[in-house]
Amino acid sequence: GNPASQQRPEHEDKSALLAQLKDYKDQIARLEKQVQSAPKLTADSEQKLADACHQLDTQVLANESLSRQVEYLQSQLQQSLEAESAARTALQMSAAKVPCVG
């Protein structure tokens, strides 16, 4: 057949292959970048996890100290209520001893 007509598709094939090759090279470059940045991403994730754990620990400690504070305040309140109750009783008793002035 005509060599010119055969040459053209082959040339197009070549440029298509070259374009494909360039795509592959770009993909490989992207993947290499991802691989290079992976350890940094991993390190960042580990750091974030460590920070979160630390925050959680801090929160737990804060909660424990809050619980202790609440317990302390409850016992204070209980003592105050008992003292108030005792004072009322004493007041009623002393009031009962005082003759009514009317």
Side-chain angles (χ1 to χ4, degrees):
N2 187 352
S5 67
Q6 279 176 356
Q7 223 173 349
R8 196 177 158 88
E10 194 186 313
H11 176 67
E12 280 173 10
D13 283 353
K14 242 187 218 169
S15 60
L17 279 172
L18 284 172
Q20 221 173 3
L21 192 61
K22 189 184 177 304
D23 282 352
Y24 286 144
K25 278 184 178 167
D26 290 349
Q27 278 180 3
I28 289 168
R30 270 201 299 274
L31 287 170
E32 277 173 353
K33 267 187 199 151
Q34 282 178 6
V35 168
Q36 283 164 8
S37 63
K40 188 191 179 311
L41 287 174
T42 304
D44 287 352
S45 298
E46 282 171 356
Q47 187 56 51
K48 279 179 187 153
L49 186 62
D51 290 349
C53 287
H54 176 68
Q55 279 182 319
L56 194 61
D57 289 345
T58 307
Q59 203 64 44
V60 168
L61 287 174
N63 285 350
E64 281 172 10
S65 93
L66 272 177
S67 299
R68 281 197 294 273
Q69 258 182 301
V70 168
E71 281 168 22
Y72 171 74
L73 288 172
Q74 280 174 333
S75 71
Q76 290 283 94
L77 180 62
Q78 193 59 42
Q79 285 172 11
S80 299
L81 288 171
E82 283 166 12
E84 189 187 345
S85 173
R88 279 208 179 129
T89 307
L91 189 63
Q92 284 166 352
M93 285 170 72
S94 59
K97 288 178 192 165
V98 177
C100 284
V101 182

